[in-house]
Amino acid sequence: AQKITQTQPGMFVQEKEAVTLDCTYDTSDPSYGLFWYKQPSSGEMIFLIYQGSYDQQNATEGRYSLNFQKARKSANLVISASQLGDSAMYFCAMREGGADGNEKLTFGTGTRLTIIP
Amino acid sequence: DAGVIQSPRHEVTEMGQEVTLRCKPISGHDYLFWYRQTMMRGLELLIYFNNNVPIDDSGMPEDRFSAKMPNASFSTLKIQPSEPRDSAVYFCASSGTVGNQPQHFGDGTRLSIL
């Protein structure tokens, strides 16, 4: 089974609207972390937001927030008030295990977001 | 602060040639990762180091690939001999020790093997 599933290959959203990018994950480890990265057309990978499995509150970073539903094993990224510069590929990733040295990240296949003016 | 620095940014070479990709991690980071990104396979972890020691190289495709980290500020990924199917973007990333620290990526090396 895929560890990280991003079911939306592409999305088109009107500028200034909010957008939700879906991510579901699969792990039996009680300790894990979830990350979102943005990859613009220029190619670099930019870290956006992190959610730990034991975090009580949903993570927020500026216009980015993470809708973390642990029972459903979902960690959707919400971008509020979308801007043209948000057009990019977005990747969800998971790190399993606690602070025991397992630092491997598993990435999803990504969602290409296009913001329409 | 300087981010992860990779060189070269682009490399075009003929099959059979040796290719060496270089990476300087963020100062103070003790984890270093090498990834490969292709359209077909997405982002794949090739190998990662902790305190200059290789921890997991299970993602290295085959013996043609090798990676070293001689010191805390430098790592190389070498392909010898290169093949057209090695064409991809290769990313280096680094992170600190605390579990919730993200991996910070370099700008990548776009490798084309003719």
Side-chain angles (χ1 to χ4, degrees):
Chain A
Q2 293 288 328
K3 284 185 178 270
I4 294 287
T5 302
Q6 296 181 253
T7 56
Q8 307 150 309
M11 288 187 69
F12 291 85
V13 172
Q14 204 74 38
E15 189 180 7
K16 298 180 184 176
E17 290 187 351
V19 56
T20 297
L21 305 181
D22 295 342
C23 173
T24 57
Y25 58 92
D26 183 26
T27 181
S28 57
D29 199 315
S31 179
Y32 53 89
L34 297 156
F35 301 78
W36 277 91
Y37 284 84
K38 172 184 179 181
Q39 187 175 38
S41 57
S42 48
E44 68 270 32
M45 293 285 287
I46 303 166
F47 165 70
L48 295 178
I49 195 167
Y50 165 83
Q51 181 83 46
S53 60
Y54 294 120
D55 292 345
Q56 294 297 313
Q57 294 188 328
N58 286 345
T60 61
E61 287 286 348
R63 293 187 300 112
Y64 304 109
S65 60
L66 208 152
N67 184 1
F68 182 46
Q69 299 189 39
K70 197 168 182 177
R72 294 185 177 183
K73 293 188 175 180
S74 74
N76 298 340
L77 177 70
V78 180
I79 306 174
S80 63
S82 58
Q83 302 171 356
L84 296 179
D86 294 333
S87 295
M89 280 288 284
Y90 288 81
F91 292 95
C92 179
M94 177 173 65
R95 178 170 59 211
E96 295 173 279
D100 61 356
N102 179 13
E103 297 294 323
K104 294 173 69 168
L105 275 184
T106 303
F107 283 83
T109 52
T111 295
R112 182 171 297 279
L113 175 65
T114 302
I115 306 300
I116 305 166
Chain B
D1 288 343
V4 176
I5 300 172
Q6 290 187 247
S7 63
R9 287 298 310 277
H10 304 273
E11 174 95 5
V12 180
T13 191
E14 293 185 345
M15 66 176 292
Q17 297 297 308
E18 179 179 290
V19 173
T20 300
L21 310 181
R22 296 173 176 80
C23 176
K24 176 179 169 57
I26 293 172
S27 177
H29 282 186
D30 45 17
Y31 284 91
L32 183 139
F33 306 82
W34 283 101
Y35 289 90
R36 178 172 67 176
Q37 185 178 33
T38 62
M39 288 294 292
M40 291 296 293
R41 300 175 67 91
L43 264 164
E44 304 173 278
L45 177 66
L46 301 177
I47 184 171
Y48 79 93
F49 295 82
N50 178 219
N51 290 323
N52 313 338
V53 176
I55 302 300
D56 187 337
D57 65 354
S58 60
M60 295 286 263
E62 48 197 275
D63 292 345
R64 297 185 297 106
F65 285 69
S66 63
K68 294 182 180 179
M69 192 165 185
N71 57 62
S73 58
F74 184 66
S75 177
T76 59
L77 178 68
K78 190 170 292 188
I79 308 172
Q80 167 62 21
S82 58
E83 296 182 5
R85 61 192 168 121
D86 301 331
S87 298
V89 179
Y90 290 81
F91 286 101
C92 176
S94 71
S95 71
T97 302
V98 177
N100 64 353
Q101 290 200 24
Q103 293 178 19
H104 295 274
F105 283 71
D107 288 341
T109 294
R110 184 173 295 277
L111 178 64
S112 297
I113 308 297
L114 307 177

